[in-house]
């Protein structure tokens, strides 16, 4: 096998493969490798699989001699980043179990990376794309970025909360919902096209969403589909698939408050700054802050028995309701405010025990719920 490839292009796509294989869900050693196949027509195929998520990438390169092999993904990525050249040469002699990697100009450094047999690597799960949802890359990125932070880190007790619940809430619209049991994020976008019947109401694992964040460009179009217990994505020359989470997502609509008794609007930038400032004094166990809301102002404070108190005031516009005090986890606020810090944020607090509802001015589909804390 012998081929040359543009260094920057190769690093970009190898990063995608490595983001898959580095989360190895099995004890099979070869799944830490990347499968490499150089075909006689100039196609270079990269494949990664971790037992649950897989990717296949097709590139056009200069192939002098076709062949296939597998090498440790992490080490290959480290090596390629060390070679400062526009093009990199890869070659492997038929009888040798090593891949030679160097600049096309034969300059230093030169690496010889141990290989493993390609025939023992799992076959990529191909998809026929007879049914799909077509979506703008920027819209998919927006859906993921505006909801992924609320996914649960508890991989044992809350399996249904370890991914994004996906549904077609209204025909022509794709909705992502995430929750860790203490907060909930929801957003909806309008997709471009749907071909065929696609069964949604599924839970997509967090890991594939993180891979997509590195694989999708804003100006690309993405194909998304579901078949049996797997989700499939096509992003240009990148193909991704993942097992779905086998769990039942709770009825999230039941916890969204219908009434809005005490509500107003704050500037996202001011809200963010105030929370970040007072959080220095917050208890490290609960990350608790107090929101004391009344007409025209919100007092945000935190208290530590060991260190003292911090307090900051911001303006509230269009407040309706009675004065109210509520306690909450400041980290559960910062995650979404950072995304919308340049926007006005609408809030509604019905009582000390009911969820805090947050909406974004100009974003009719996004909402964020935070469960209050006890003082």
């Amino acid at each position: 096998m012998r081929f040359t490839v543009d260094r920057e292009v190769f690093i970009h796509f190898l990063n995608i493969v490595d983001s898959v294989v580095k989360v190895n869900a099995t004890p099979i050693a070869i799944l830490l490798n990347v499968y490499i196949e150089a075909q006689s027509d100039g196609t270079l195929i990269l494949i990664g699989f971790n037992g649950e998520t897989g990717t296949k990438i097709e590139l056009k390169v200069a192939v002098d001699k076709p062949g296939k092999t597998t090498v440790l993904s992490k080490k290959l990525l480290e090596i390629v980043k060390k070679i400062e050249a526009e093009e990199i040469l890869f070659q492997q002699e038929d009888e040798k179990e090593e891949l030679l990697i160097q600049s096309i100009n034969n300059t230093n450094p030169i690496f010889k990376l141990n290989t493993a047999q390609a025939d023992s690597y799992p076959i990529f799960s191909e998809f026929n794309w007879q049914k799909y949802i077509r979506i703008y890359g920027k819209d998919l990125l927006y859906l993921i970025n505006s909801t992924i932070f609320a996914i649960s880190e508890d991989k044992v007790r809350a399996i249904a909360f370890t991914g994004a619940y996906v549904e077609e809430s209204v025909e022509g619209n794709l909705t992502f919902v995430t929750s860790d049991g203490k907060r909930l994020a929801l957003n909806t976008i309008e997709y471009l096209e749907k071909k065929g019947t696609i069964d949604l109401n599924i839970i997509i694992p967090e890991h594939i969403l993180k891979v997509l964040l590195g694989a999708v460009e804003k100006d690309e179009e993405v194909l998304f589909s579901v078949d049996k217990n797997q989700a499939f994505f096509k992003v240009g020359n990148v193909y991704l698939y993942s097992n779905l989470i086998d769990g039942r997502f709770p009825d999230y609509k039941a916890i969204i408050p219908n009434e809005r008794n005490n509500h107003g609007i704050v500037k996202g930038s001011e809200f963010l700054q105030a929370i970040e400032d007072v959080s220095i004094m917050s208890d490290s166990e609960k990350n608790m802050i107090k929101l004391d809301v009344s007409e025209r102002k919100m007092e945000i404070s935190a208290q530590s028995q060991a260190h003292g108190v911090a307090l900051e005031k911001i303006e509230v516009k269009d407040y309706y309701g009675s004065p109210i005090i509520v306690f909450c986890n400041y980290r559960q606020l910062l995650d979404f405010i950072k995304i919308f810090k340049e926007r006005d944020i609408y809030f509604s607090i019905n009582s000390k025990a009911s969820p805090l509802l947050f909406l974004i001015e100009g974003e009719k589909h996004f909402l964020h719920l935070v469960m209050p804390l006890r003082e």
Side-chain angles (χ1 to χ4, degrees), residues 148-194:
I148 194 170
F149 55 80
I151 291 176
S152 175
E153 296 179 358
D154 187 344
K155 308 299 181 185
V156 179
R157 292 185 299 171
I159 186 66
F161 286 159
T162 59
Y165 175 71
V166 182
E167 66 176 7
E168 188 174 8
S169 52
V170 178
E171 186 174 355
N173 290 268
L174 201 61
T175 296
F176 276 32
V177 188
T178 59
S179 177
D180 60 7
K182 299 176 183 177
R183 58 179 167 176
L184 181 145
L186 179 151
N187 207 354
T188 299
I189 59 93
E190 184 177 352
Y191 57 73
L192 296 170
E193 173 194 15
K194 182 165 75 169

Side-chain angles (χ1 to χ4, degrees), residues 23-77:
V23 184
N24 193 348
T26 77
I28 303 175
I30 199 169
L31 294 189
L32 294 172
N33 286 14
V34 53
Y35 173 96
I36 302 172
E37 180 177 347
Q39 300 181 339
S40 56
D41 66 353
T43 300
L44 180 69
I45 296 176
L46 304 176
I47 296 177
F49 180 61
N50 65 12
E52 295 180 353
T53 303
T55 184
K56 176 183 177 182
I57 299 172
E58 297 177 347
L59 304 175
K60 283 299 179 182
V61 302
V63 177
D64 298 321
K65 181 182 178 182
K68 57 186 178 179
T69 191
T70 78
V71 294
L72 191 63
S73 175
K74 178 182 177 181
K75 192 58 63 178
L76 177 60
L77 186 57

Side-chain angles (χ1 to χ4, degrees), residues 74-229:
K74 178 182 177 181
K75 192 58 63 178
L76 177 60
L77 186 57
E78 291 174 353
I79 288 171
V80 174
K81 288 180 177 179
K82 287 291 184 182
I83 300 176
E84 297 182 0
E86 290 187 6
E87 289 189 303
I88 298 179
L89 169 67
F90 296 82
Q91 57 182 339
Q92 181 180 20
E93 301 299 329
D94 293 339
E95 69 279 4
K96 293 186 177 180
E97 294 182 350
E98 62 182 24
L99 181 65
L100 176 68
I101 309 167
Q102 65 182 120
S103 162
I104 190 65
N105 299 320
N106 296 321
T107 56
N108 289 327
I110 297 173
F111 297 92
K112 294 180 180 180
L113 184 60
N114 293 339
T115 64
Q117 287 294 323
D119 291 338
S120 59
Y121 202 87
I123 298 173
F124 181 81
S125 182
E126 298 284 357
F127 187 66
N128 57 30
W129 294 106
Q130 294 179 354
K131 58 179 183 178
Y132 58 80
I133 289 173
R134 186 164 58 93
I135 181 175
Y136 278 131
K138 62 180 180 63
D139 290 336
L140 181 58
L141 291 173
Y142 176 47
L143 271 183
I144 297 173
N145 279 317
S146 61
T147 57
I148 194 170
F149 55 80
I151 291 176
S152 175
E153 296 179 358
D154 187 344
K155 308 299 181 185
V156 179
R157 292 185 299 171
I159 186 66
F161 286 159
T162 59
Y165 175 71
V166 182
E167 66 176 7
E168 188 174 8
S169 52
V170 178
E171 186 174 355
N173 290 268
L174 201 61
T175 296
F176 276 32
V177 188
T178 59
S179 177
D180 60 7
K182 299 176 183 177
R183 58 179 167 176
L184 181 145
L186 179 151
N187 207 354
T188 299
I189 59 93
E190 184 177 352
Y191 57 73
L192 296 170
E193 173 194 15
K194 182 165 75 169
K195 181 179 178 181
T197 301
I198 301 174
D199 296 325
L200 292 178
N201 302 322
I202 58 171
I203 306 174
I204 298 177
E206 179 184 25
H207 179 235
I208 189 67
L209 301 178
K210 290 182 175 179
V211 175
L212 285 165
L213 288 176
V216 176
E217 299 290 340
K218 290 183 178 180
D219 57 352
E220 290 180 309
E221 292 185 0
V222 180
L223 299 186
F224 161 56
S225 192
V226 178
D227 187 55
K228 298 178 182 177
N229 67 333

Side-chain angles (χ1 to χ4, degrees), residues 263-314:
H263 55 84
I265 298 171
V266 295
K267 285 187 176 180
S269 57
E270 293 180 357
F271 199 22
L272 175 65
Q273 188 64 58
I275 294 173
E276 288 182 332
D277 289 345
V278 304
S279 66
I280 295 172
M281 288 294 190
S282 177
D283 185 289
S284 59
E285 239 181 74
K286 292 186 176 181
N287 300 313
M288 182 186 290
I289 61 171
K290 180 171 77 172
L291 306 182
D292 186 345
V293 188
S294 58
E295 187 177 0
R296 298 182 183 177
K297 70 175 181 178
M298 176 188 292
E299 290 187 356
I300 304 168
S301 61
Q303 181 173 355
S304 166
Q305 290 184 351
H307 304 296
V309 178
L311 183 146
E312 193 160 335
K313 300 176 184 179
I314 62 173

Side-chain angles (χ1 to χ4, degrees), residues 309-321:
V309 178
L311 183 146
E312 193 160 335
K313 300 176 184 179
I314 62 173
E315 180 187 4
V316 174
K317 296 186 297 182
D318 302 331
Y319 187 72
Y320 175 86

